[in-house]
Amino acid sequence: MATIRTALTGYTRYRGREGQWSFLLHRITGLGVLLFLGIHILDTATVFFYPSLYSHAIAIYRTWPASLGEVVLVFCLFYHGVNGLRIAYFDMVSPKRWMISFERRSSLWTLLIAFILWLPPAVLMIRTMLIFDFGMFGGA
Amino acid sequence: MSTSTIEVPEVPRRVKVPSNYETTAWRWMRYSGVLLIPLAWIHIVLQDAIVSAQNIDLNYVAMRWAILGWRIYDIFLLSFAFAHGMNGLRQVLMDYFSTDSARRTFAWVLFVLWLAITGIGATAIIGGVR
Amino acid sequence: MSQATLKIYRYNPEEDAKPHYDTFTLEVEPEDRILDTLEHIKGYIDGSLSFRRSCAHGVCGSDAMRINGHSRLACKVLVKDLDAGEILIEPLLGLPVLKDLIVDLTPFFDHYKEIMPYLVNNDPPPEKERLQSEAERARFDDTTKCILCAACTTACPPFWSNRRYVGPAAIVNAHRFIFDSRDQGTAERLEVLARPDGVWRCRTVFNCTEACPRGIRITKAIAEVKHAIETGDLTTFVTPVEEE
Amino acid sequence: MTQTHEFEVIIVGGGGAGLMAAMYASQGAKTAVISKLYPSRSHTGAAQGGIGAALGNSEEDHAEWHTFDTVKGSDYLGDQDAIEFMCLEAVQSVYDLEHMGLPFSRTPDGRIAQRYFGGHTNNVTGKPVMRSCYAADRTGHMILQTLYQQCIKNGIRFFDEYHVMDLLIENGAVAGVVAYELATGELHVFRAKAVIIATGGYGRIWEITSNAYSFTGDGVALTLRRGIPAEDMEFFQFHPTGILRLGILITEAVRGEGGVLINDKGERFMERYASHVKDLASRDVVSRAMYLEMREGRGIGGKRYLYLDVRPDTVNKYAEADGRTRPDGSLYRVTAQEILSKIPDITDFCRTYLGVDPVKDPIPVQPTAHYAMGGIPTDKLGRVVVDENNTVLPGLYAAGEVACVSVHGANRLGTNSLVDLIVFGKHAGIDAAKYAQGASLQPLPDDPTAYTQETIHKLMTGDGSEKVAEITRDLRAMMFDHVGVFRIEEGLKEAQVKLEELKERYQHVCVRDQSKQYNTELTNTWELGNLLDLAQAVTVAALARTESRGAHAREDYPKRDDANWLKHSLAWMKDGQIVLGYKPVTITKYQPKERVY
Ligand SMILES: Cc1cc2nc3c(=O)[nH]c(=O)nc-3n(C[C@H](O)[C@H](O)[C@H](O)COP(=O)(O)OP(=O)(O)OC[C@H]3O[C@@H](n4cnc5c(N)ncnc54)[C@H](O)[C@@H]3O)c2cc1C
Ligand code: HEM
Ligand code: SF4
Ligand code: F3S
Ligand code: FES
């Protein structure tokens, strides 16, 4: 029991640095994407099993909270991907780069790259959301 | 006493380590992850940003799956992404449940879930829009 | 001379139902070690404050504790190294607290023993030394520095949640033998480390490397061990530590 | 509740000597190690420079040369049979360590690397010789780790964080020990046929010391209380280079690699005190030279410290002046990188505690209390001898810094302590197991823990008008002033008076923490009692010895006096007072000569 508590409160009681935060973010984004993916597989599968339900599902995706969620999802996937690549590169190709200076710098770069990659699709998606859900830019 | 510099022969050291599930899983996370970069990124940028849910409906899905390439693409995406994610979840749970019985239990649950959902997804992709 | 305030985690199982914090204010020099301040408190203010210590210069590994939230050796942190303001002193995380800053190290040493932390070589020894080139020796130099202080293992999130994880310190000590050209027990050692609670629980969180008072490149060492398990190759990926 | 355990051999102390003894004893007897620290935290781990053995891996060397250097270093007070035995055994012991896995640094051809150290010379040319086998600057750490690892491999029983507080002797033989378990506050009786004491030294008596908090001489103190004498207590080594104020050691290897000591005027003053080997003279010589420099006002800024300079420019300048060459004949030149790679830990200490980078700035140093040459008298098999006639106390052994064989005499040579641990630890272990096979357990006294319980009870119930921390502080400052590098009659007499006062004050301390678990206040308080007793033995023995020899430098008797003082002192404790006796030095090959470096 004590270990579970430590597991949950450790992040506030231990002042980890970049590594700890990128690990948490990697884990949260990974699990977030997985949750979405599970749902997404099931709702898409309705096209074969219950085609009539599909439009209901899609309708939910079209609401603005879902649209915002997708914006976040895209960030999660980019961050998780870039960070996963960073880890895989250090692990598989160049273990000697696992040193403090590299770790700190590369964690920040990862965040930055994920952010830059995310911006264009995010702008597009937010624009679409504003058009469809809020009738801006002349609406649809 | 010796002042010469006889190099000690460098025999490359190798050992045989029987490979086990965890080792394979670790490797899998990295290889599948790298593959997922094009697969997942293209998918999500295309569907969510460029096409967007606003323009997706049964017809769109039917049109897309009319092209065999997209079906193969989606099959790949499904198998890699979901297996990667489910194994990730299994690893996360292993951090929090350390008894063998708990680990066995959730490993089975996750396996069944993975099989079922992958099966459903694959059926849909192969079966197409009805 | 200036004043410092220390907020210290207190727990005496014979008296307290729950841990609490005590605050002490005392005169300090900027060059004082945190250990000096603790000794001062124990000597002059509250004799019951309990902690381990021995060498007082960072080589024995007794006084690892959490200082301002980081695993550190109290004898290797000077008052001036810390931000101004209250200094927070707590026991290591992830091991049962026995009293004040003293934690139960049994799980830690058990993991150390699990990975066969000794040279295995069943050939009859030569008359003189076994030869080893400077390059072979350099490969595991970094991991010979470990003083078993437990700062790393108790900074590791996977260890907080799963005490069965062997933890970075044990892997560091395994590394020291795995890449020693004289060792013959490596295959067996790697098998232990390939188990579910071996190296694979490491998620490269890096808290260990940041915490190590001996500056060991722990995450690098772990990555090299992972490689050895994965490929059986004990040479290619292993490089001596370079200066940053 | 007292638990009783039964073993054949009990080892008290998990440092280098204790673990070595455990490895060998366990091969022939049921063995356990009791240690007040986790073994890996013993002070052997702090040893930096190296372990001396005439392997001759880099240049010509012989065990006889090592023997002579040790005899000379000891200022002829070392017992020459034991020294010869140690220096011969050293070679095999170092190979044994290597076979156990010790990761020595290596020469280009793959052998154990060796380097210069103070007092180690080529007996023909008088030049320094590379005799110190090393693993970077953490040789002791590697020895301790390697031995601990081997003990784990051999499944040796450990009782960690148990303080041994009393030795049980029945019918003139060892019956066992009484230990206090820190985790529970309970007393344990360990019955044993043989007991090996390996508890290390007692440098904590002095204010500036390289020694750990736990170096409180428990072993010597508890045998002293049981009627066993302590030998040569007046000889305590002050290492020349401790970090200013903190006393943290900067190994002699820094000078071995070419570092030099510099005074306020920028002079390399050791040229004046030891024209041959200069900065690599024996420790007592260098420490005294430093004191004299500081006394003449040539300390840095007139203060009581000097510089140790290991910047590459300085090293190269003086190496050239000395005509120092590499083994292949080329000129000795170093780069900053090379220096850093040979002394990484020292560099770390300087950066952490002084904010000084040793390859860019000189290191402020002062002499620091370092090593106890004296201790429990033993023969060369580690058996404790209890009188002038070397009568053995059956079943009792001592090894390591706690013991006085005596191989270090009046001054220990650098690297010889680690040799001592390994060689005599091993032989004590072997002999104890052998003895245990032929002996039976002694009966226990009626109430084996009575004495210990009473001691603890007194400490827990004192009137509390005095503070342990204050007595400790006063003791250490007083001893550093009066019984330090230089000694003089008035100072020693004053120290004696002060010690009486301090012991009186100690009667009034009280342990406030009344809890059972992890009562470190109690153990600290008990340890202070040991320091006080040992300080008394040191002072009384120092006052009696009216000559200067090795580490014992009397300003009022500056000459060595072989006619009267070529003998070991023995100090007994009788009713709280120290009583002295003497026994002869064993001289085999080397007749005393004047000692010049
Ligand atoms: C900084 C430093 C550097 C040095 N460098 C060198 C060097 O380069 N070369 C060299 O030859 N020598 C060197 N020395 C000297 C040498 O390291 C020591 O003399 C030696 O390590 C002592 O070893 P030991 O086994 O006797 O004691 P230790 O290693 O100190 O072990 C003592 C053990 O006894 C235990 N103990 C103590 N009291 C009790 C008790 N009451 N009950 C139970 N257990 C107890 C402790 O827990 C510990 O395990 C150095 C010393 C210092 C301080
Ligand atoms: C886009 C490309 C991706 C890459 C490069 C990638 C890479 C990785 C890597 C290397 C790991 C292992 C981390 C570790 O062991 O420390 C990992 C873990 C994980 N991944 Fe991915 N991944 C990607 C996509 C995904 C997707 C699409 C999902 C969701 C379905 C996902 C879910 C997870 C989960 C849940 C974990 C476990 C996290 C943890 O252990 O904390 N990943 N990923
Ligand atoms: S690896 Fe570093 S932090 Fe971990 S136990 Fe060893 S010395 Fe301590
Ligand atoms: S903190 Fe833990 S996860 Fe790995 S890199 Fe260090 S062991
Ligand atoms: S007291 Fe030894 S490491 Fe701090």
Side-chain angles (χ1 to χ4, degrees), chain C residues 165-177:
Chain C
Y165 169 36
V166 293
I171 304 176
V172 160
N173 284 282
H175 179 282
R176 177 249 168 280
F177 290 101

Side-chain angles (χ1 to χ4, degrees), chain A residues 23-24 26-38 76-88 91, chain B residues 25-26 28-41 77 80-93 95, chain C residues 200-205 226:
Chain A
F23 158 69
L24 261 185
H26 190 78
R27 177 161 281 191
I28 292 167
T29 54
L31 292 176
V33 174
L34 178 64
L35 180 69
F36 170 81
L37 178 66
C76 287
L77 192 63
F78 276 129
Y79 180 80
H80 186 92
V82 179
N83 196 47
L85 208 59
R86 176 182 77 101
I87 294 172
D91 269 354
Chain B
W26 183 80
W28 161 254
M29 289 307 271
R30 271 132 257 266
Y31 290 147
S32 65
V34 172
L35 252 169
L36 279 170
I37 293 234
L39 287 174
W41 285 7
L77 181 58
F80 279 100
F82 200 58
H84 172 102
M86 286 303 257
N87 184 54
L89 177 59
R90 186 189 64 88
Q91 292 182 349
V92 172
L93 289 177
D95 282 352
Chain C
W200 307 123
R201 295 271 69 72
C202 165
R203 304 314 215 296
T204 58
V205 176
K226 286 173 177 167

